[in-house]
Amino acid sequence: MRRQLSILYREKGWQVFALPLLAALTTLVLLDLAWPGVQEAQERIESFERRLASAQLLVSRKPQFQNSVEAAEAVLSEGRSRYFESPDPEASRKAFLDVVTAIFASLNVPSVNIVPETAPTEQGDVIIMKIGVSFDASPSQLARFESLILAQSKVIHVESVSVTATMIGPSSSGVLRVLCTLKSAHIYAGLFPDHKSSP
Amino acid sequence: MTQGVYVFLSAQVIELRWLKNSWLGSKNANQSAVEIAQNIDFETAVTNAFLLAVKKIALPPNTPVFWILPPDIVGVLCDKAAPGEEYAFSPVLPFSDDEVRQFGIHRSSGLGVIAWAHTNWVAFFESLTVKAGLLPVLLLSRAQIVGVESARTSAASGLTVVLESQGHCGFLHAFHADGFPIRSIELPSLGEKENTALTVNSELAALVDLLGLKLSDVVVLAQQDTEHAWQKPHGVEKFTLGFIRASDRHLRLAQQFAFPGISMAGKPALLKVWWLRYMGVLAFLFVFGLALLASVTIWQDFRSTELDDQLTALKSDIQTVQALQKRDRELAVPIQTLRQLQQDPDALASLFSVVEALPKRAYLTGTEISSDRIELQVSGEPGISLDDLKTRLPIFIEASRDELPGGAVKFQFSRIPAGRPTDVSKPKEVP
């Protein structure tokens, strides 16, 4: 091959080198022209691959989200009947206050002081509403207070209670000074899809 | 694949060796030998024999032909010259310069060697080859091809003489220590043994004289497998019988024009074939490169489309999952708040629970109950234990008991803060 090339060189001179050189140069020029396109296409493929991988990961987590959402919806729909649901927190606060006022009206204690404690600026889809109450009561009235709370259609929690008394016990009775914080929840009606459609 | 036919001619026989060269090496594709009729004129006899031999091995048309001719057709001439002097071949040649085609074989170390042939012979072989439908390329001297290999392997110090034969024709080729032929003659008919021996001896004497050597230094190699038994020349000490033949490698080298020879009409055609093949290889590489580039581009297009399709197929699933994810995020905080609210202990229930747990004579004098702390002051039964109360208030685990002046006892319970491990007895590892 080498000998044949050297004889060809003797016969054809520079053409022997010029032609492969020309071919190589043409190839290089074509490569140079095509390279940006090839690179761009490669980047596009890589970005597609990344997007596909993240999409597949997201889709693979579908059951997880579904379970989580279903559990949350269950808690929410249970809470809807048990707490104060309304489009406006102020309406819920008023309803809560009305319930508490009604409880004390039927409890018939001599002096009662009802103070809403929740700051009106509090934001959120579920807001904890608090009402501080202070009243004097006998131990039996305190027991009735509890049963009245439990009898409400809405759930009212007693967050804290402070009792000052001289004689409280199974075999004694007396006047108690009671200070307690009641709380319940406002649930924003817009959280439920059926409310969203008719504001 | 390249190929070539090598025609060995002597006065008695014409032999054809057809070699095909491929990437894997050369292959002896076929060969034939035809006797040359002695009763008719030599040129006609050679023509007939050659056409018959070609017919025998069915050569494809335009196969390149290399003629390897005896010394009486392509002669070898050697001349000695002092440095700076011109070699004088012309006076020795029996024809005028324009009747002769010649080529140099060697020209240095005081020795000049040429080979020559009469133009009529060149024309004859050229037209004979064309007549057979083949491509006439080169005329070579027999001494350039036959016996060179044997002469080289003998590693002679000064002169190697090869005695070989084709049919009944004997030849003497003399080789310089550097491997080039310096003399080549056809010996008298091998049947006349004495005459042959006489000629060999006189040739040896002349060569020894020319090169300034001793006869005992000359190496003589003679062909073994022949009907003729070569005799050891008188005065020669290094005489060997061996197998002497033109090797395939030498024939291939001849085809690659490694040896000078007399060019014939077909040489440019052969070079053109080479040139076209060279161009073909270049064109193939070029096209292959372009095809590679194109295939990369096509593959990229295909892959992009494939991935795009897969993404499109997933689109509705993605939207569903994204909606679920959004809803999940939307509900996370409200649900956490609601759950926390439901989990908080009811302070009033805790109070009644504690009151029920008190012994008969004990009574509470003060309480503070919130979702994370309970403080009780118990009087009347100072012996009351912490454990009794703890069973009633299971989620309030940290507790203390303090004796107050006046016989009262103060109990304090606090709830585990959120996020703290329940197993408080195990110390935390400090990194």
Side-chain angles (χ1 to χ4, degrees):
Chain A
M1 191 70 187
R2 201 182 61 219
R3 200 183 296 276
Q4 289 186 0
L5 272 177
S6 74
I7 287 173
L8 280 181
Y9 174 63
R10 206 182 301 152
E11 295 288 323
K12 298 274 181 180
W14 58 271
Q15 292 177 55
V16 175
F17 300 110
L19 279 162
L21 209 67
L22 192 70
L25 273 176
T26 315
T27 313
L28 279 178
V29 166
L30 282 174
L31 258 181
D32 192 47
L33 285 177
W35 188 245
V38 167
Q39 225 170 7
E40 198 180 304
Q42 191 57 36
E43 277 164 16
R44 198 170 59 237
I45 286 173
E46 277 166 16
S47 98
F48 270 145
E49 277 172 342
R50 274 196 301 275
R51 278 166 56 194
L52 187 65
S54 67
Q56 280 168 339
L57 184 71
L58 190 71
V59 170
S60 75
R61 286 170 65 194
K62 186 180 173 181
Q64 197 182 323
F65 286 125
Q66 210 148 20
N67 289 343
S68 168
V69 168
E70 272 169 17
E73 298 277 13
V75 172
L76 205 63
S77 64
E78 194 199 349
R80 188 180 193 180
S81 57
R82 296 179 64 192
Y83 296 101
F84 298 89
E85 178 209 336
S86 98
D88 178 23
E90 208 44 57
S92 292
R93 280 196 193 96
K94 195 170 177 306
F96 184 28
L97 194 62
D98 289 349
V99 169
V100 173
T101 313
I103 287 172
F104 280 101
S106 68
L107 192 62
N108 196 19
V109 285
S111 64
V112 62
N113 190 17
I114 302 173
V115 185
E117 285 182 3
T118 322
T121 53
E122 198 175 332
Q123 295 294 312
D125 291 333
V126 170
I127 297 172
I128 305 295
M129 306 180 293
K130 291 183 184 177
I131 292 176
V133 286
S134 57
F135 58 96
D136 292 331
S138 65
S140 61
Q141 272 176 318
L142 196 60
R144 190 148 168 268
F145 174 57
E146 199 202 9
S147 59
L148 272 172
I149 284 175
L150 291 175
Q152 295 302 313
S153 63
K154 302 294 178 190
V155 178
I156 295 168
H157 295 264
V158 182
E159 189 189 45
S160 67
V161 58
S162 165
V163 179
T164 325
T166 45
M167 297 271 282
I168 319 172
S171 60
S172 63
S173 64
V175 176
L176 311 170
R177 178 82 193 145
V178 182
L179 229 100
C180 64
T181 309
L182 304 177
K183 62 180 178 184
S184 190
H186 150 74
I187 300 179
Y188 172 53
L191 272 182
F192 301 97
D194 50 355
H195 272 76
K196 266 184 185 171
S197 58
S198 56
Chain B
M1 196 173 70
T2 60
Q3 58 181 346
V5 175
Y6 305 87
V7 187
F8 296 84
L9 182 70
S10 73
Q12 285 190 326
V13 66
I14 188 163
E15 281 179 38
L16 266 64
R17 269 166 81 184
W18 181 23
L19 286 192
K20 279 180 173 177
N21 304 325
S22 69
W23 297 109
L24 298 171
S26 72
K27 196 179 79 176
N28 204 335
N30 211 339
Q31 53 191 2
S32 68
V34 174
E35 293 261 344
I36 292 169
Q38 300 295 312
N39 51 358
I40 51 170
D41 123 75
F42 182 68
E43 291 186 14
T44 316
V46 167
T47 307
N48 293 342
F50 180 66
L51 293 178
L52 183 61
V54 167
K55 205 175 166 188
K56 267 185 172 179
I57 55 176
L59 284 168
N62 283 320
T63 306
V65 177
F66 301 83
W67 288 92
I68 293 148
L69 299 171
D72 50 355
I73 297 176
V74 177
V76 173
L77 263 184
C78 175
D79 186 31
K80 226 176 164 179
E85 271 184 52
E86 283 293 307
Y87 295 104
F89 297 114
S90 297
V92 193
L93 287 173
F95 304 104
S96 65
D97 278 358
D98 52 352
E99 283 180 291
V100 166
R101 293 275 298 275
Q102 55 169 283
F103 57 89
I105 290 179
H106 184 78
R107 196 178 286 262
S108 76
S109 61
L111 274 180
V113 184
I114 59 157
W116 65 276
H118 194 276
T119 45
N120 286 352
W121 276 124
V122 179
F124 168 70
F125 287 110
E126 208 164 54
S127 65
L128 175 56
T129 316
V130 171
K131 197 174 176 186
L134 306 174
L135 197 66
V137 181
L138 214 59
L139 293 186
L140 293 151
S141 147
R142 190 176 175 90
Q144 286 175 284
I145 303 295
V146 183
V148 189
E149 195 95 327
S150 308
R152 280 206 178 138
T153 49
S154 75
S157 55
L159 177 70
T160 304
V161 173
V162 171
L163 302 170
E164 52 105 6
S165 61
Q166 186 182 15
H168 292 296
C169 299
F171 301 99
L172 180 149
H173 310 299
F175 296 94
H176 188 265
D178 293 341
F180 56 90
I182 50 175
R183 184 146 173 77
S184 176
I185 59 157
E186 182 163 354
L187 296 167
S189 172
L190 291 177
E192 302 163 26
K193 283 187 182 178
E194 284 182 19
N195 208 351
T196 307
L198 214 63
T199 315
V200 170
N201 278 335
S202 65
E203 279 297 325
L204 282 175
L207 286 164
V208 163
D209 189 41
L210 176 76
L211 296 173
L213 298 166
K214 279 187 278 179
L215 200 55
S216 55
D217 291 335
V218 179
V219 174
V220 178
L221 305 168
Q223 191 158 341
Q224 191 176 38
D225 59 338
T226 172
E227 295 161 23
H228 177 74
W230 293 99
Q231 298 294 315
K232 182 176 160 186
H234 183 70
V236 169
E237 289 175 8
K238 297 165 187 163
F239 179 77
T240 318
L241 285 169
F243 181 70
I244 293 162
R245 195 170 183 249
S247 70
D248 283 359
R249 192 176 77 86
H250 266 74
L251 296 181
R252 222 167 44 241
L253 286 173
Q255 192 184 353
Q256 291 170 1
F257 305 106
F259 303 119
I262 297 170
S263 303
M264 290 194 289
K267 189 178 169 185
L270 186 67
L271 289 176
K272 195 179 169 188
V273 170
W274 288 7
W275 179 245
L276 288 176
R277 193 183 304 135
Y278 176 61
M279 299 292 286
V281 169
L282 282 182
F284 173 77
L285 288 176
F286 186 62
V287 170
F288 181 76
L290 287 187
L292 206 69
L293 197 66
S295 65
V296 166
T297 316
I298 289 169
W299 180 84
Q300 283 181 328
D301 274 359
F302 169 75
R303 181 77 180 139
S304 294
T305 318
E306 193 188 19
L307 287 169
D308 202 20
D309 287 351
Q310 286 181 8
L311 270 173
T312 314
L314 277 176
K315 202 173 175 182
S316 69
D317 271 356
I318 293 168
Q319 282 170 347
T320 314
V321 178
Q322 277 173 342
L324 277 171
Q325 198 179 15
K326 188 175 165 242
R327 183 72 175 150
D328 191 43
R329 224 176 284 142
E330 186 180 59
L331 293 182
V333 175
I335 294 304
Q336 176 61 30
T337 315
L338 268 185
R339 283 203 172 121
Q340 186 60 49
L341 180 66
Q342 286 164 356
Q343 278 167 9
D344 278 348
D346 193 90
L348 213 51
S350 298
L351 175 65
F352 288 116
S353 180
V354 170
V355 169
E356 276 171 35
L358 291 178
K360 283 279 180 201
R361 283 187 292 135
Y363 51 88
L364 289 174
T365 49
T367 61
E368 279 284 337
I369 299 179
S370 68
S371 55
D372 52 5
R373 206 175 67 86
I374 293 180
E375 200 179 299
L376 304 172
Q377 278 189 36
V378 184
S379 296
E381 180 68 42
I384 187 167
S385 83
L386 200 58
D387 291 340
D388 293 340
L389 290 172
K390 267 170 90 173
T391 53
R392 291 276 172 174
L393 304 160
I395 60 165
F396 294 88
I397 64 126
E398 284 186 357
S400 68
R401 183 182 187 276
D402 294 308
E403 301 276 345
L404 293 180
V409 183
K410 187 180 175 187
F411 292 99
Q412 276 188 326
F413 298 87
S414 51
R415 200 175 176 187
I416 315 164
R420 195 169 137 188
T422 42
D423 188 4
V424 288
S425 63
K426 195 174 175 181
K428 269 189 179 175
E429 275 182 42
V430 180

